[in-house]
Amino acid sequence: MYVAGAAGCRAGDNRRMRPPFQDKICRRAEAAQRVAALAHPVVFTNGVFDILHRGHVTYLAAARALGGSLVVGLNSDASARGLGKAPDRPLNREIDRAWVLAALESVDLVVPFDEPTPVALLKELRPALYVK
């Protein structure tokens, strides 16, 4: 994203800005430590979230309201393809799906995972609530 004339920038001086929500996307190796620093109780949910719609964002907001923070386990591209959906799914790449989720106010952390189910990730993160 380029911003012209933003605070601290001269007219015509475009600078590449890193959106703050990008920090909500977390590698699995760092996830337990990041979850420990979140407001408790921690709520966890998961899914592919390929074509985000009103039902998804309503569900995520409701899940977040159940605790102090919401962690979303995101099926990786390989994991999503193994779920038996259409052969061209997911339509949106993993990183794009992660960015869209991270941009939501209700989501505190996004953690991609490669397995078909989030069972191993749930054991690692040990949230107070699992919402599905």
Side-chain angles (χ1 to χ4, degrees):
M1 176 169 127
Y2 294 92
V3 179
C9 296
R10 293 185 316 249
D13 180 16
N14 290 330
R15 296 181 186 184
R16 191 161 184 89
M17 295 186 61
R18 184 175 189 271
F21 63 78
Q22 188 179 358
D23 293 334
K24 294 182 186 181
I25 302 168
C26 175
R27 283 182 269 206
R28 188 162 177 173
E30 305 161 357
Q33 182 178 358
R34 295 279 303 272
V35 167
L38 293 174
H40 284 70
V42 173
V43 179
F44 181 95
T45 193
N46 67 281
V48 176
F49 300 103
D50 188 19
I51 303 171
L52 203 64
H53 55 74
R54 182 170 74 179
H56 287 131
V57 296
T58 302
Y59 153 70
L60 292 169
R64 171 60 176 81
L66 296 173
S69 57
L70 177 63
V71 176
V72 177
L74 179 66
N75 289 81
S76 68
D77 289 344
S79 173
R81 281 190 290 276
L83 295 177
K85 296 185 181 244
D88 62 343
R89 297 293 292 275
L91 299 175
N92 294 295
R93 296 177 318 155
E94 175 183 326
I95 189 64
D96 296 323
R97 293 182 287 122
W99 272 56
V100 170
L101 286 168
L104 296 175
E105 181 180 9
S106 59
V107 175
D108 295 287
L109 198 64
V110 178
V111 184
F113 65 95
D114 291 320
E115 299 87 353
T117 70
V119 172
L121 184 57
L122 283 164
K123 288 179 181 178
E124 292 168 27
L125 303 183
R126 304 185 56 82
L129 294 169
Y130 174 54
V131 177
K132 198 64 180 151

